[in-house]
Amino acid sequence: MGTYMALVDVTDETVQNVQDLATVWGDLTGDIETLGGELVDAYAILGEHDYLVIFEADGRDEAFQTSVSIERYGLDTQTMELIPVDDLGELVQDI
């Protein structure tokens, strides 16, 4: 499984109150599991983006499906694959 992160932004029409947002996170966790992945962690961010979501997925296709699933709730996402530093060394070793 690969590890991915999504920078998530709440749009004005996404949630009416904090309770709505809590429901969205519960639904989102279920969606990720349905796609065969796992929600590793989520953080609120003080800055340019609203949340950071870290999840595992079997591959890029599943990561893409997860991003689409997040956006169905009216949340904007920017998803990236995370590569452990130890693995990065192996990738550039042959160059």
Side-chain angles (χ1 to χ4, degrees), residues 1-5 32-33 35-41 54-59 62-63 66:
M1 263 195 184
T3 304
Y4 298 84
M5 63 169 272
I32 292 171
E33 290 173 358
L35 292 167
E38 180 182 344
L39 178 64
V40 175
D41 224 333
I54 301 172
F55 63 94
E56 291 183 343
D58 285 331
E62 292 78 11
T66 298

Side-chain angles (χ1 to χ4, degrees), residues 54-69:
I54 301 172
F55 63 94
E56 291 183 343
D58 285 331
R60 288 187 188 141
D61 291 350
E62 292 78 11
F64 177 77
Q65 291 172 332
T66 298
S67 294
V68 170
S69 178

Side-chain angles (χ1 to χ4, degrees), residues 41-84:
D41 224 333
Y43 299 91
I45 301 175
L46 300 176
E48 183 177 345
H49 300 282
D50 297 317
Y51 294 95
L52 169 67
V53 176
I54 301 172
F55 63 94
E56 291 183 343
D58 285 331
R60 288 187 188 141
D61 291 350
E62 292 78 11
F64 177 77
Q65 291 172 332
T66 298
S67 294
V68 170
S69 178
I70 294 170
E71 290 189 358
R72 285 188 310 176
Y73 294 99
L75 301 167
D76 291 329
T77 65
Q78 181 181 4
T79 303
M80 295 162 259
E81 185 173 7
L82 300 177
I83 302 169

